[in-house]
């Protein structure tokens, strides 16, 4: 059985999953830290807060991952869908990695091991920044990028430049 709660305080649990947006990540660290759960799984891009999270929660309890789920609230209900192009990834070299992977696989999610989560997050940031820039640059957003070869080519060029910088 699994309970979903808004806070991890005073809840007996085997694991805490941090499934928030990147900009919300730092705001949940203190709650995760006070939980007695031996395992804290982050399923978000920490946007530069990896060191802070390990400091607050404890590196021995923390496993990095990224969810291959999308969705959001609609009509008062959270609707989710599996993103086929993005497997859920789990850090493979942390003390709780095996337990985290088994927990997530038990939900039916396809899960992949990732030995270099810092690099994975950096690559993800380049991808998301390129997509966001292209979409936000035009009032019609994604429809404009999808309908324009020139915009799509610019997007691909920007991402290549970002990946080149990472290398």
């Amino acid at each position: 059985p699994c309970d979903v709660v808004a806070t991890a305080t005073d809840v007996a649990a085997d694991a805490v999953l941090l499934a928030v947006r990147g900009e919300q990540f730092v705001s949940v660290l203190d709650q995760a830290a006070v939980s007695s759960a031996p395992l804290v799984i982050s399923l978000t891009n920490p946007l530069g807060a990896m060191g802070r999270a390990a400091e607050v929660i404890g590196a021995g309890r923390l496993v990095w991952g990224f969810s291959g789920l999308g969705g959001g609230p609609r009509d008062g209900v959270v609707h989710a869908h599996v993103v086929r192009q993005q497997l859920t990834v789990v850090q493979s070299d942390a003390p709780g990695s095996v337990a985290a992977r088994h927990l997530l696989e038990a939900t039916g999610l396809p899960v992949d091991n990732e030995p270099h989560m810092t690099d994975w997050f950096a690559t993800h940031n380049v991808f998301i920044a390129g997509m966001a820039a292209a979409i936000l640059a035009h009032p019609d957003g994604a429809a404009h990028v999808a309908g324009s070869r020139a915009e799509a080519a610019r997007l691909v060029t920007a991402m290549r430049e970002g990946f080149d910088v990472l290398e």
Side-chain angles (χ1 to χ4, degrees), residues 37-91:
L39 180 62
V40 177
I41 306 167
S42 172
L43 293 172
T44 190
N45 189 326
L47 302 175
M50 289 180 89
R52 171 94 173 110
E55 197 176 281
V56 172
I57 294 170
R61 295 174 60 204
L62 183 59
V63 176
W64 294 105
F66 193 83
S67 174
L69 293 175
R74 188 175 62 241
D75 300 326
V77 176
V78 175
H79 296 269
H81 66 275
V82 174
V83 180
R84 289 179 324 204
Q85 303 88 339
Q86 169 59 63
L87 292 179
T88 294
V89 294
V90 174
Q91 174 186 8

Side-chain angles (χ1 to χ4, degrees), residues 21-23 25 42-48 65-66 120-122 124-125:
R21 294 173 53 103
E23 69 273 9
F25 181 69
S42 172
L43 293 172
T44 190
N45 189 326
L47 302 175
F66 193 83
W120 191 95
F121 285 133
H124 182 257
N125 287 341

Side-chain angles (χ1 to χ4, degrees), residues 4-162:
V4 176
V5 296
T7 66
T9 311
D10 298 329
V11 175
D14 297 323
V16 171
L17 280 73
L18 303 178
V20 296
R21 294 173 53 103
E23 69 273 9
Q24 299 167 324
F25 181 69
V26 172
S27 70
V28 300
L29 294 179
D30 289 336
Q31 289 182 34
V34 299
S35 165
S36 62
L39 180 62
V40 177
I41 306 167
S42 172
L43 293 172
T44 190
N45 189 326
L47 302 175
M50 289 180 89
R52 171 94 173 110
E55 197 176 281
V56 172
I57 294 170
R61 295 174 60 204
L62 183 59
V63 176
W64 294 105
F66 193 83
S67 174
L69 293 175
R74 188 175 62 241
D75 300 326
V77 176
V78 175
H79 296 269
H81 66 275
V82 174
V83 180
R84 289 179 324 204
Q85 303 88 339
Q86 169 59 63
L87 292 179
T88 294
V89 294
V90 174
Q91 174 186 8
S92 62
D93 62 349
S97 293
V98 172
R101 182 185 174 111
H102 288 159
L103 175 66
L104 294 169
E105 286 176 334
T107 69
L109 285 173
V111 180
D112 194 20
N113 285 324
E114 177 53 57
H116 307 286
M117 281 307 293
T118 301
D119 295 338
W120 191 95
F121 285 133
T123 302
H124 182 257
N125 287 341
V126 167
F127 178 77
I128 293 302
M131 290 295 286
I135 291 169
L136 295 173
H138 194 275
D140 292 335
H144 179 70
V145 175
S148 167
R149 284 185 174 271
E151 289 300 319
R154 241 172 33 153
L155 168 62
V156 170
T157 299
M159 285 186 187
R160 281 189 183 138
E161 289 174 4

